[in-house]
């Protein structure tokens, strides 16, 4: 028996990740847990003994993608009867039994707070026992686990898990559970370790990072950000995601104070109508939101801004929609993630009639996207002639002679590569062209 167990432990696991940065960061944690248990991670599903899908539930189309992928995976399982297929993350928590009972192909289902059980559940699946582990925890933060970083230059660092905001449209508090923060010291230790290993950029991650709190000392997100910036002066720090209610003056002042905190804020507005914001249970008004934006612009005029917007929330009228368009113009976002409202089971908004017809949602969404592209293009055009320091990220997908990197303000710059350009190079570029999504430049 023991021999068998050892054999399974050499198994190769392929993990496919869907959804937000938190999921990509979670995949690095699961990979590390598996490697520590003797498994290896492979990057081709054809070579795998186990295929795990780390899933997202935030919108219906994210879940649909997973169901389609499971149909494909049936073929793999026909060719390799011993193949283990597992669902991790938000969908696991949401659909539990359905996935195992209805989708005969799924062997294990593991929610975001039970990743430590993945190795055992893969082994159980190899001996024919299907397993479910979807309990949510009030304490699990995986802070003792060193993620298996996919890059040696850019690191995700998850500082908190879950969310207590319960926005009426959002399934996250139900799939990822209650909010809990890692200790400040443990985060700073990890930052110091990453600096010693030669990392150049760290993104602090959480569903709502600005409500971060060290339980023992009471220190908040601004304190944490300052402690990280001080501990690793050579590293650029970014963070995701912020909530407008918790975007304090202290945090904005801290960002302005440290050169190595990137001047970029993702601040989801969701809607420009106070009536809709109220129904969304966002806890702020458009006036409060714009006040935060003004404070950011006052202290950091160079700071770039992005947002999330939902089109077609229940009862949204043409006037509400127009109010959203006005906010886009008034703020002048550098970029935005724009979505059609998608009703999610368990949420408060699910009880409301989804009364904006799909065709109308699509029309409003397209109008939002079109306006945002125009705004981004105008902002990017102002970058032409300016210089930026960027960190080289990867060869450009379209042209292998070119590379891409990001400015401090999170703008993608594509540039002709030099001889020997490599990931992590700090380069000075002069911008000479743009689209709404990309800047083009020359290294100097
Ligand atoms: N429908 C559409 N968009 C949603 N988001 C979250 N829940 C929904 C939903 N039910 C969007 C929000 C959030 C982003 C991560 O996803 O804009 O900020
Ligand atoms: Fe969802 Fe709102 Fe929490 Fe963001 S802040 S994860 S939208 S509940």
């Amino acid at each position: 028996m023991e021999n068998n167990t050892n054999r399974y432990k050499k198994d190769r696991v392929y993990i496919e990740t869907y959804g937000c940065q938190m999921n990509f960061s979670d995949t690095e944690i699961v990979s590390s847990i598996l490697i520590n248990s003797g498994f290896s991670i492979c990057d081709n599903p054809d070579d795998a003994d186990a295929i795990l899908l780390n899933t997202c539930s935030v919108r219906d189309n994210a879940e649909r993608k997973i169901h389609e992928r499971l149909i494909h995976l049936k073929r793999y399982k026909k060719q390799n009867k011993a193949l283990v297929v597992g669902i991790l993350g938000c969908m696991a928590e949401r659909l539990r039994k359905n996935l195992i009972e209805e989708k005969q192909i799924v062997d294990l289902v593991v929610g975001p707070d039970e990743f430590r059980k993945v190795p055992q559940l893969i082994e159980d699946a190899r001996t024919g026992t299907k397993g479910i582990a979807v309990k949510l925890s009030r304490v699990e933060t995986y802070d003792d686990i060193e993620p298996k970083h996919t890059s040696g230059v850019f690191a995700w660092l998850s500082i908190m898990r879950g969310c207590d905001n319960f926005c009426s449209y959002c399934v996250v508090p139900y799939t990822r559970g209650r909010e809990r923060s890692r200790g400040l010291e443990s985060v700073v230790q990890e930052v110091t370790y990453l600096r010693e290993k030669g990392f150049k950029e760290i993104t602090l991650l959480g569903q709502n990072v600005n409500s971060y709190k060290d339980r023992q000392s009471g220190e908040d997100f601004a304190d944490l950000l300052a402690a990280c910036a001080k501990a690793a002066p050579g590293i650029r720090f970014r963070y995701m995601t912020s909530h407008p209610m918790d975007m304090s003056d202290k945090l904005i002042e801290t960002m302005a104070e440290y050169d190595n905190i990137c001047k970029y804020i993702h601040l989801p507005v969701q809607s420009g109508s106070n009536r809709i914001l109220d129904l969304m249970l966002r806890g702020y008004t458009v006036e409060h939101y714009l006040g935060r934006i003004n404070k950011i612009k006052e202290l950091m005029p160079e700071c770039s801004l992005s947002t999330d917007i939902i089109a077609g929330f229940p009862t949204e009228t043409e006037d509400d929609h127009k109010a959203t368009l006005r906010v886009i113009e008034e703020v002048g976002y550098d970029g935005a993630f724009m979505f059609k409202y998608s009703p999610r089971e368990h949420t408060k908004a699910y009880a409301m009639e989804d009364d904006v017809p799909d065709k109308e949602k699509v029309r409003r969404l397209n109008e939002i996207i079109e306006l945002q592209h125009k705004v981004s293009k105008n902002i990017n055009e102002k970058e032409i002639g300016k210089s930026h320091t960027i960190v080289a990220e990867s060869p450009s997908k379209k042209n292998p002679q070119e590379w891409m990197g990001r400015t401090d303000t999170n703008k993608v710059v594509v540039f002709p590569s030099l001889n020997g350009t490599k990931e992590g190079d700090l380069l000075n570029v002069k911008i000479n062209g743009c689209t709404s999504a990309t800047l083009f430049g020359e290294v100097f």
Side-chain angles (χ1 to χ4, degrees), residues 47-61:
D47 301 334
D49 301 295
I51 299 180
L52 307 178
L53 308 183
N54 191 3
T55 61
C56 168
S57 280
V58 82
R59 284 169 298 276
D60 181 52
N61 55 2

Side-chain angles (χ1 to χ4, degrees), residues 395-436:
S396 146
K397 283 189 196 100
K398 287 190 193 139
N399 177 355
Q401 309 298 318
E402 291 181 328
W403 268 64
M404 62 79 65
R406 259 170 233 271
T407 64
D408 172 275
T409 50
N410 206 37
K411 287 182 181 289
V412 170
V413 183
V414 172
F415 57 97
S417 58
L418 307 174
N419 240 346
T421 298
K422 58 182 188 316
E423 188 188 35
D425 285 352
L426 274 177
L427 301 168
N428 290 320
V429 291
K430 187 159 182 182
I431 307 304
N432 55 24
C434 74
T435 65
S436 62

